[in-house]
Amino acid sequence: MMIKSALMTTGYDVLDGPNTNPLVIFRQGAGHVKPNSAADPGLVYNSGFADWISFICGVQPGGGCTGVTPMDPSNLNVASIAIGDMAGTQTVTRTVTNVSGKKLTVSAAVNSLALRRWSTLRR
């Protein structure tokens, strides 16, 4: 997951239209991969086996998940955010891991479209 995160967070836009159109923004995915940048992403999102089991149990409640605490699927610690059937507001949580070997200062920014919002973490 750390490698996938590094590839996703260091890519660049391949927009084929205005960046105000949700269809254009979401069609590109994480963008075009920049391998040299991905080799030193600074921060990564990581999730392990237990996180994925909790995610699966959150998606499939009652599906034999004895002894596992289900997770809200929107909180899986990956480099993207997906929220299904949102009415009102919802808080999602992400944790980043510093892989740079040095002290980093980060800030969060919120960009919004008419019906969608997302945050971007920049180093």
Side-chain angles (χ1 to χ4, degrees):
M1 286 310 302
M2 293 170 71
I3 293 169
K4 180 178 180 178
S5 169
L7 291 169
M8 290 177 70
T9 59
T10 59
Y12 61 90
D13 287 345
V14 290
L15 299 174
D16 58 352
N19 66 359
T20 56
N21 181 339
L23 294 176
V24 171
I25 293 168
F26 296 115
R27 183 173 29 213
Q28 79 162 350
H32 194 310
V33 174
K34 290 172 50 177
N36 290 344
S37 295
D40 184 20
L43 301 170
V44 294
Y45 300 87
N46 194 19
S47 51
F49 182 77
D51 300 311
W52 282 92
I53 295 297
S54 293
F55 168 80
I56 291 168
C57 290
V59 173
Q60 305 274 337
C65 290
T66 305
V68 176
T69 303
M71 168 192 305
D72 180 322
S74 298
N75 285 329
L76 183 61
N77 199 49
V78 294
S80 62
I81 296 174
I83 300 173
D85 298 332
M86 184 174 79
T89 62
Q90 180 172 344
T91 300
V92 295
T93 302
R94 293 292 182 274
T95 301
V96 292
T97 301
N98 182 350
V99 294
S100 72
K102 56 189 169 196
K103 183 178 177 181
L104 296 176
T105 300
V106 298
S107 62
V110 176
N111 302 299
S112 66
L113 295 172
L115 298 175
R116 309 231 183 226
R117 291 177 180 237
W118 66 94
S119 294
T120 306
L121 188 62
R122 301 188 190 284
R123 82 175 157 135

